[in-house]
Amino acid sequence: MITLYGDFVEETLGEQAYLAIGFSPSSVPLKQRWRNNGLSADFLADYFSTFFPAADQESDEINQRDELRGTVSYIANELLENAMKFNYERSSYPINIRLYLYPDHLVFLVTNSISPKQAESLQKRIQQLLHEDSESLYLQTLEQNAEQDILECSGLGLLSMINDYGAKLSWKLELLPLEIPLMLLTTRVELAVDGFGAY
């Protein structure tokens, strides 16, 4: 059974450039690898920034390519951290991140496994993100975090993508036909880049 949230669109392999990185849980526990998320996110950002022209540094105050590189790195890092943090430990499914380049937008797809219990709380969060005002939700989450002595999850990463970068988020949740209940979660983030002039 597959459930979609938001305007989730499957990516098909065409002429667009894309890059995929997979993390297998078979060698090193995934939760021990999360420190490397920044390295993987920077790699994705460096690779895709080559598709955008460098600014004329004498006339442009802000180098748009550097700005885009920072945005891609931030979003990829947040998505990888979430995937590593919430991945179902008993699962042997790898975590994947894919980044697609279109003329006017980028698409991030991150897939990880979760337990049905995790899916329940996730679905509530997704409904909030899709139907509530994101700025109000951001402030509400900040206030709730300030009241916590120990903060395991800030809940601000996805909200920051929406509020700060205008990203469009959607999700696919798939129940796998296995003896042990397991679900695959794919988070899709679409980022407009039409002002950056991709090659």
Side-chain angles (χ1 to χ4, degrees):
M1 183 178 77
I2 295 176
T3 307
L4 304 180
Y5 299 91
D7 298 324
F8 191 94
V9 178
E10 292 282 357
E11 299 302 316
T12 56
L13 295 181
E15 295 182 359
Q16 75 279 11
Y18 75 97
L19 188 62
I21 302 175
F23 302 90
S24 173
S26 60
S27 55
V28 178
L30 290 172
K31 288 191 176 183
Q32 291 181 17
R33 291 190 194 172
W34 77 273
R35 293 179 212 101
N36 297 328
N37 293 337
L39 183 64
S40 301
D42 286 345
F43 175 74
L44 288 167
D46 286 340
Y47 178 78
F48 276 91
S49 68
T50 63
F51 290 94
F52 295 85
D56 178 355
Q57 296 193 3
E58 292 183 4
S59 60
D60 293 340
E61 293 181 10
I62 299 174
N63 187 325
Q64 289 186 325
R65 184 163 75 176
D66 289 345
E67 181 183 338
L68 182 65
R69 186 204 168 282
T71 301
V72 169
S73 178
Y74 174 80
I75 291 175
N77 189 57
E78 287 293 324
L79 291 172
L80 282 171
E81 281 189 2
N82 282 347
M84 299 289 178
K85 193 182 309 175
F86 298 111
N87 191 61
Y88 190 37
E89 290 180 355
R90 296 172 59 190
S91 167
S92 60
Y93 277 83
I95 291 174
N96 292 303
I97 182 167
R98 291 168 283 160
L99 181 54
Y100 295 83
L101 173 67
Y102 292 92
D104 60 349
H105 67 280
L106 297 173
V107 173
F108 300 77
L109 287 173
V110 177
T111 302
N112 64 284
S113 60
I114 60 174
S115 69
K117 185 177 179 181
Q118 288 174 302
E120 288 179 19
S121 60
L122 173 68
Q123 288 167 323
K124 291 177 186 172
R125 184 64 174 170
I126 288 173
Q127 293 300 332
Q128 282 184 310
L129 291 168
L130 290 177
H131 302 294
E132 294 185 21
D133 178 70
S134 60
E135 291 186 15
S136 299
L137 195 55
Y138 188 88
L139 292 175
Q140 179 185 344
T141 304
L142 277 177
E143 291 171 0
Q144 290 172 347
N145 289 349
E147 296 172 0
Q148 303 293 322
D149 293 330
I150 299 174
L151 190 62
E152 293 183 11
C153 178
S154 74
L156 295 173
L158 298 178
L159 281 168
S160 181
M161 291 178 205
I162 297 169
N163 289 339
D164 300 337
Y165 300 101
K168 296 178 183 176
L169 277 62
S170 57
W171 295 264
K172 179 174 79 172
L173 200 52
E174 180 177 6
L175 179 61
L176 300 178
L178 302 172
E179 291 182 16
I180 299 174
L182 183 68
M183 305 187 89
L184 282 185
L185 169 69
T186 301
T187 302
R188 183 181 192 276
V189 177
E190 183 175 321
L191 180 71
V193 294
D194 50 353
F196 289 94
Y199 292 124

